[in-house]
Amino acid sequence: MRSLRSLDVTGCPVSDVGVQQVVSSIGSCLLKLKLGSTFITKESVLSISESCSNCLEELDLSYCRCVPLSAVKSLLESCWRLKTLAVYGLPFKSGLSELCRPGLKIEWKHEV
């Protein structure tokens, strides 16, 4: 399983513990991780930033409403290879502009 490069658990009943176990096992190999519409929290995002910092290029956190902006900022400080970050439906009213950096595409639209 260490050769797994992409994982999509969008909409699955995934917990922080589950995400932490997966990324601690195979995070150094993951290029693409889709966690949209799950109930993860900042704990998962911080685990991703620790375990996937050298490889992750694409991350989808869309509709993960328990993920705060501060966790996303920490992730972006660690994961410099990240090229695409999807955060559709997250309640960030401000702060996204300071997340931008060259080579990073942030896909976002706040829905009321």
Side-chain angles (χ1 to χ4, degrees):
M1 193 151 123
R2 285 187 110 23
S3 63
L4 187 66
R5 299 282 188 216
S6 178
L7 180 63
D8 185 348
V9 293
T10 302
C12 294
V14 176
S15 68
D16 285 328
V17 172
V19 171
Q20 290 168 348
Q21 289 176 345
V22 168
V23 299
S24 68
S25 297
I26 61 168
S28 62
C29 301
L30 279 176
L31 299 175
K32 183 176 181 179
L33 181 57
K34 297 181 103 182
L35 296 167
S37 299
T38 60
F39 295 101
I40 63 165
T41 68
K42 72 176 185 177
E43 300 306 320
S44 287
V45 177
L46 296 176
S47 291
I48 292 165
S49 67
E50 291 172 10
S51 299
C52 305
S53 61
N54 293 324
C55 57
L56 193 64
E57 295 179 356
E58 190 173 325
L59 178 62
D60 185 351
L61 298 174
S62 297
Y63 304 101
C64 295
R65 298 186 189 271
C66 296
V67 173
L69 182 60
S70 60
V72 175
K73 287 180 181 180
S74 294
L75 175 104
L76 290 176
E77 289 172 4
S78 298
C79 297
W80 279 98
R81 294 189 66 166
L82 200 64
K83 295 177 183 173
T84 303
L85 174 65
V87 289
Y88 291 103
L90 293 185
F92 305 150
K93 296 186 190 256
S94 62
L96 282 175
S97 60
E98 59 191 73
L99 299 180
C100 292
R101 66 172 188 237
L104 174 64
K105 177 182 177 186
I106 298 177
E107 300 172 350
W108 176 83
K109 181 179 178 186
H110 177 68
E111 295 180 6
V112 182

